[in-house]
Amino acid sequence: MAKVAFLGLGVMGYPMARHLKTKGHEVTVYNRTAAKAEKWASENGGRVAKSPKKAAQEQEIVFCCVGNDDDLRQVATGPDGAFAGMERGAIFVDHTTASALVARELHAKAKDGGIGFVDAPVSGGQAGAENGMLTVMCGGDADVYGKAEPVIMSFARACRLLGGPGSGQLTKMINQICIAGLVQGLSEGIHFGKRAGLDIDAVLDVISKGAAGSWQMENRGKTMNQGKFDFGFAVDWMRKDLGICLDEARRNGAQLPVTALVDQFYAEVQKMGGRRWDTSSLIARFEG
Ligand code: NAP
């Protein structure tokens, strides 16, 4: 069993930290809004720290799941950041969806101080975090990853090292690129079916068993048909992620025409009031 800290008890971090505790690890938590950390500790036991630095002291692994690149920099390398409290040989595992650039930057800074760094964004959403069934995509050094993997598996059903620093974030970008075009296709299909006067639930039931089937169709098709979007992965987060993908594509020369278009469609959804709606709300552009 490991001595660990968890920084960032949001929608994802809160249940991820709980799984670490349930599996028997010794957990210290930090959250910017302290009340959330107190609530977590009252429900799960464990220790609360007042800063990332204090949380990170004497830990073997420091987990983190905050919003974006700047949040991550603050929590890791700010004046009260985790790196300042970590001992040589300790490992920082970052579950934030962030850029590959910040992952490489923090990997290098960590290495200077004798600390390991693994970029480890996740897929599986709130439900995956609650059920301890996340997919974790990792980048970093193999020896460091090897030590972290068994502890990460406390809240994951799959975890894999894809390459050097930044490779986890690049893999998560591919995940988001694949989702963007797929959800737009599903929106168009459902929209078309409604105009054609078909029973959409029946249509989805049958075509989900064929070549058009997907996680999005199975899990989101019926709620898209009903116009229900008050759950899941928020449009604001998706735009952050697609922005990261498009920035990276400008650097590596990849062409992402559909991703760029869908990003603009999500901007329209934001203007419709859908900033916190689930990403399946792309269909609302046709209905609104
Ligand atoms: P969230 O509920 O908004 O939680 C964000 C957490 O980060 C909160 O604990 C927040 O603290 C903390 N935080 C943000 N900025 C900070 C800063 N500058 N300093 C210290 N703490 C800071 O977000 P989430 O849904 O858990 O998502 C977290 C990350 O996972 C994001 O990168 C997201 O893209 C990714 N992700 C989310 C999902 C999903 O379905 N939600 C799925 C896959 C990946 P406060 O409580 O004080 O605000």
Side-chain angles (χ1 to χ4, degrees):
M1 289 303 136
K3 268 194 87 186
V4 305
F6 206 106
L7 317 176
L9 302 171
V11 167
M12 301 298 284
Y14 199 99
M16 289 160 84
R18 173 167 51 77
H19 284 293
L20 286 166
K21 187 77 174 63
T22 312
K23 295 281 155 49
H25 299 295
E26 202 179 309
V27 184
T28 299
V29 292
Y30 161 79
N31 196 67
R32 178 179 58 183
T33 307
K36 236 188 261 178
E38 297 294 345
K39 179 168 181 276
W40 188 95
S42 72
E43 287 173 9
N44 300 288
R47 219 166 53 82
V48 175
K50 289 208 169 4
S51 71
K53 181 179 170 182
K54 286 198 172 117
Q57 279 160 357
E58 294 170 28
Q59 308 293 354
E60 292 162 68
I61 305 183
V62 177
F63 292 92
C64 169
C65 189
V66 293
N68 59 27
D69 284 22
D70 288 342
D71 301 328
L72 172 58
R73 280 194 187 94
Q74 241 174 41
V75 167
T77 56
D80 249 343
F83 283 14
M86 291 172 74
E87 288 164 14
R88 296 185 79 80
I91 301 171
F92 190 97
V93 177
D94 175 43
H95 295 297
T96 311
T97 303
S99 69
L101 286 182
V102 77
R104 292 185 197 116
E105 171 193 317
L106 293 184
H107 177 272
K109 275 196 181 157
K111 206 162 199 163
D112 285 347
I115 300 167
F117 182 92
V118 181
D119 51 294
V122 300
S123 171
Q126 183 173 1
E130 298 279 354
N131 302 331
M133 298 288 274
L134 291 169
T135 300
V136 190
M137 300 151 263
C138 299
D141 304 316
D143 55 333
V144 172
Y145 171 80
K147 289 181 200 151
E149 190 204 69
V151 189
I152 295 174
M153 286 307 289
S154 301
F155 46 74
R157 74 166 159 192
C159 181
R160 185 164 179 168
L161 182 68
L162 283 314
S167 302
Q169 296 297 353
L170 291 170
T171 305
K172 173 74 182 183
M173 290 174 216
I174 298 167
N175 189 74
Q176 302 307 70
I177 290 165
C178 294
I179 289 174
L182 199 152
V183 175
Q184 177 62 15
L186 186 53
S187 302
E188 292 182 18
I190 295 171
H191 171 62
F192 177 93
K194 280 181 160 175
R195 287 296 167 101
L198 293 177
D199 175 345
I200 298 298
D201 284 359
V203 168
L204 293 175
D205 271 342
V206 67
I207 70 171
S208 63
K209 295 175 182 70
S214 65
W215 184 97
Q216 297 289 341
M217 185 178 282
E218 289 212 358
N219 291 281
R220 297 287 186 263
K222 288 184 181 165
T223 46
M224 286 166 83
N225 183 36
Q226 294 158 1
K228 287 190 185 158
F229 312 119
D230 57 342
F231 53 83
F233 186 60
V235 167
D236 274 358
W237 280 143
M238 187 60 165
R239 286 217 71 209
K240 169 192 64 108
D241 293 1
L242 295 182
I244 291 171
C245 298
L246 294 167
D247 278 352
E248 187 65 34
R250 272 188 283 275
R251 276 189 289 276
N252 71 14
Q255 298 180 41
L256 301 179
V258 173
T259 306
L261 191 60
V262 172
D263 178 55
Q264 289 307 299
F265 292 162
Y266 277 124
E268 289 177 27
V269 174
Q270 286 176 316
K271 285 199 191 109
M272 291 168 67
R275 297 183 55 174
R276 300 299 298 182
W277 292 350
D278 180 68
T279 43
S280 58
S281 59
L282 270 182
I283 196 172
R285 294 177 52 256
F286 298 131
E287 316 284 322

